[in-house]
Amino acid sequence: MKFWDHQERGLLGIKNAISGGRQNICVASPTGAGKSVMMFHHMVEECKQPTLYTDRIMLFNQLAKGLDDRGIQFGCRAADHEPRLLEDVQLCMVQTEA
């Protein structure tokens, strides 16, 4: 997959953070910058047990669809969702976690 320059820099920053010992990484960029694409790529290529947090139902549903579309098995930690806590990838609503 070909990434935009800012996505390449973001993925490199994530890899550098992980190699530097960081375990909790927050990726932030403007709407439409491709954060979800970067997360999906990174989860598949690099992470063993990633957890994604969002605070909007629309974004939760968008991320769930993206995970489904890529065939990535995931658990949901959100109200009105059956938890599957044994899945390696977890998609979480901040409000539920709080």
Side-chain angles (χ1 to χ4, degrees):
M1 167 176 241
K2 177 76 172 116
F3 293 103
W4 295 327
D5 289 343
H6 67 276
Q7 290 173 317
E8 292 280 356
R9 287 190 305 274
L11 287 168
L12 180 60
I14 292 167
K15 289 178 185 180
N16 289 339
I18 291 171
S19 67
R22 302 285 178 151
Q23 293 182 340
N24 301 309
I25 301 166
C26 178
V27 175
S29 61
T31 301
K35 295 179 291 291
S36 296
V37 171
M38 292 187 332
M39 285 188 290
F40 297 142
H41 170 77
H42 182 70
M43 282 189 307
V44 170
E45 300 294 322
E46 305 289 334
C47 289
K48 292 185 172 125
Q49 293 181 308
T51 304
L52 303 175
Y53 295 92
T54 185
D55 62 349
R56 302 281 189 267
I57 292 171
M58 178 197 67
L59 294 174
F60 183 93
N61 293 335
Q62 178 184 349
L63 288 167
K65 182 179 180 333
L67 291 166
D68 276 336
D69 289 351
R70 287 163 178 79
I72 300 171
Q73 298 293 314
F74 65 98
C76 295
R77 296 188 333 224
D80 298 327
H81 291 272
E82 185 69 31
R84 294 190 320 245
L85 302 177
L86 297 179
E87 296 291 346
D88 288 339
V89 178
Q90 293 291 313
L91 180 56
C92 308
M93 286 293 292
V94 172
Q95 296 85 340
T96 301
E97 295 292 285

